[in-house]
Amino acid sequence: MNRFYIEKLVVSGGGHKASVIDFRPGLNFVLGPSNTGKSLVMDCMDYVFGFTPKKNRPSKIVDNSYGYDRIALHLATDRGTVVLERKIGDSKISVNGTDPTVDHGSYSVNHNAKKNINAVYLHLLGIDEPHSVRSAETGSKTQELTWRSMLHLFFIRQADVARESSSLLAPGSFGPTASAAVLLYLLTGQDADDLEADEDPKISAAKKKALIGYIQEKVNELSGRREKLEQALSSEEITSPHTSVERVQKEISELQAQLDAASKESQQIMSQIYEWNGKLSESQTVGHNFAILRRQYQSDIRRIGFIVEGAASTSPVRKKVKCPVCGEETERTYDTTFIDASAAELEKIKRHLSELNDAQHSVARQQEKIMANIRALEERKGAIDTLISEQLRPKLSAFEEELEKQLKLMRLSNELEIIRQDEVQYRSDLFSKETEEISTPQKHSIFEDYGYDIIHGFEEKLREILRASKVGGAETARLNMENFDIEIGGLKKSVSMGGGFCGILNTITTLAMSSYLIELGRPAPGFYAVDSSLTQLSEAEHKEQSDTIKQNFIEYLIDHAHERQVILVEQTKRMPFIPSEDEERGVHVIRFTRNKQDGRYGLLNEVFNPEDQ
């Protein structure tokens, strides 16, 4: 978690030598007599922290600046330094330094400004998203989480240190709800970003009226629809729509099975027809080839018969012819020996033709059988197709229409049942809404959100510091949630203690709470500053110095100096003892003497009280 502490306060300008106060990380005492500027140290720091002077809460440095015109506060972070400078009387704060996570520039202390110094201080605490907190017990009023709304837990001015009201709640204009809500956020992270708004009773009444009108309209619609459905269903003989639907679905299922079987058989017959047509085509091809062969045989018989007949009528003679090569005359003799061979070939062809005649007759008989099978199959397929088209499909269509009708009736019956139920529900809602009272915004105490698991650790820390400071009844100390303030021995601070005790108890209370926040790892700065917590505390004269609250409280702060930065502003004469500068123990003492010849006179250089001029 991000922490930062105060390194240096610088008041400058107006021709004066700059007045510088150096602080250290441990325990810092700012001591001196009255009118030396001790409280002015706190006022200057508060001014840079964004304080805006008001009539009832003025600023010493603004009302009496002695010519100085600017205040700078140097802060140390885990990543570098942040320097904030504000001109006295101005609402702007200039920011620079070496911390790379902080944007340099000019910021306004005005809460509504777009670039507000609040964002810088919250960023230094590790809070980079905007948050809102509850600001009133009733309604949904919220306000933005700001640095100023939590500063009272870590920075207590002299005017607020001895107040009788709870030191855990911010003084001034911050209401108790908002202030407690800020602390709740610091302790737990709970904000009001998801707070549900309480409605204005007038708006609630208008919404109720509108809702009643809407419900009445729905009742009228449902009633009208119910009457129409009842009329539609009254004209139908309805015994059990679900049973009728099941019966029709069974019929459709059986018909569909028959239709599927018939379609399948038709397809199978068609396949057989294709197969027999293929065989017929093959047979016809064979018959065609036989016919061609028959014509060939017949042609061969006529040709060979012609040759044989011609040769039989020709006698062998010798004839002289001239040789075409040598020119000599020679004799040609006709050979008639082929006649016998031709006659034999002729007989062979006639036998083949006779066999071909037998084969053709066989093919013709085969084709007749095939065609008969095809006709029978076509007749069977025609009968099946007729059954499908004229009986099964019309029946199926009729049952499907019947099913649709029954389903429609069933849907209407179901719709009627639902509408009846809805109508009863809407009438019940209408009755409830008409008898409902307009609720007034409920009060919600922010303290109800504090569980003891949140407070327990704080009380332990509180009792630890009270015991170490030897405050009487320390073991009985607790946080009273009725006034959100501590009580000791069952007695509230405001009714049992004077201003001096209130001052020290307020200091211990805020010191314990800020320390507890750091122990929890929650957002809190690394410094704690308080002005005049011991001033009004007077203890019994018979007490030994070692038993006084002042003595032991200072010793507690010294013993825990290395835990965090503490700045204690106090009158020298009110201190039980003057601590020594001790760097090893983390103790740093800044003393104002109000003596021009001895040490540092006061905060501002060249500024003296009239009697010391």
Side-chain angles (χ1 to χ4, degrees), residues 166-428:
S166 172
S167 59
L168 297 178
L169 300 177
S173 59
F174 288 102
T177 295
S179 187
V182 169
L183 180 55
L184 182 64
Y185 170 79
L186 294 179
L187 286 167
T188 67
Q190 177 180 326
D191 57 23
D193 291 344
D194 298 326
L195 183 65
E196 293 185 4
D198 288 329
E199 284 188 329
D200 185 299
K202 291 182 179 179
I203 296 177
S204 299
K207 284 186 175 181
K208 176 182 176 180
K209 182 179 179 181
L211 186 55
I212 288 174
Y214 168 76
I215 296 174
Q216 184 63 64
E217 184 179 344
K218 293 298 293 184
V219 168
N220 294 339
E221 289 178 4
L222 291 170
S223 297
R225 179 60 178 164
R226 174 176 53 77
E227 290 176 4
K228 288 182 180 180
L229 289 174
E230 289 173 345
Q231 290 174 2
L233 292 172
S234 64
S235 62
E236 301 289 341
E237 293 183 3
I238 302 175
T239 54
S240 175
H242 291 281
T243 303
S244 298
V245 167
E246 290 176 359
R247 177 184 59 79
V248 175
Q249 286 178 333
K250 183 179 179 181
E251 294 284 354
I252 289 175
S253 179
E254 291 176 355
L255 274 173
Q256 189 63 56
Q258 294 178 29
L259 183 60
D260 291 343
S263 297
K264 184 178 180 180
E265 185 178 358
S266 177
Q267 290 173 359
Q268 291 174 345
I269 292 173
M270 195 67 209
S271 297
Q272 292 176 3
I273 291 173
Y274 287 152
E275 184 179 347
W276 283 109
N277 277 325
K279 290 180 180 180
L280 179 61
S281 178
E282 291 177 1
S283 180
Q284 288 174 341
T285 300
V286 171
H288 177 70
N289 290 338
F290 280 175
I292 293 173
L293 183 58
R294 182 183 183 84
R295 287 194 296 274
Q296 183 64 42
Y297 282 163
Q298 289 174 344
S299 177
D300 288 346
I301 289 172
R302 286 193 299 269
R303 178 177 56 76
I304 295 174
F306 178 74
I307 292 172
V308 170
E309 291 175 0
S313 62
T314 302
S315 59
V317 289
R318 293 181 180 273
K319 185 180 181 179
K320 289 184 179 182
V321 294
K322 184 180 286 188
C323 177
V325 177
C326 63
E328 296 279 336
E329 285 188 356
T330 184
E331 291 183 353
R332 175 182 292 169
T333 303
Y334 287 96
D335 187 4
T336 60
T337 59
F338 68 89
I339 296 175
D340 293 335
S342 296
E345 179 67 21
L346 181 61
E347 288 301 323
K348 181 181 178 181
I349 292 173
K350 286 181 178 180
R351 286 194 305 271
H352 286 330
L353 183 59
S354 177
E355 293 172 355
L356 179 60
N357 286 335
D358 294 339
Q360 282 183 312
H361 288 307
S362 177
V363 168
R365 288 193 299 273
Q366 184 187 45
Q367 288 179 1
E368 288 177 1
K369 290 180 179 179
I370 292 172
M371 292 177 66
N373 287 335
I374 290 174
R375 284 193 296 272
L377 290 172
E378 287 177 344
E379 288 175 3
R380 175 61 181 159
K381 184 178 182 303
I384 292 173
D385 291 344
T386 301
L387 174 66
I388 291 173
S389 61
E390 296 182 4
Q391 294 185 36
L392 297 181
R393 289 196 185 281
K395 269 188 178 183
L396 183 62
S397 178
F399 277 117
E400 287 176 343
E401 290 178 2
E402 178 66 17
L403 177 62
E404 180 60 32
K405 178 182 177 181
Q406 293 298 329
L407 288 173
K408 180 180 178 181
L409 293 175
M410 189 169 68
R411 286 195 296 269
L412 292 177
S413 296
N414 292 338
E415 183 184 355
L416 178 60
E417 182 61 27
I418 293 172
I419 284 177
R420 284 170 175 167
Q421 293 175 3
D422 288 348
E423 185 178 1
V424 171
Q425 183 61 50
Y426 272 107
R427 288 185 184 279
S428 173

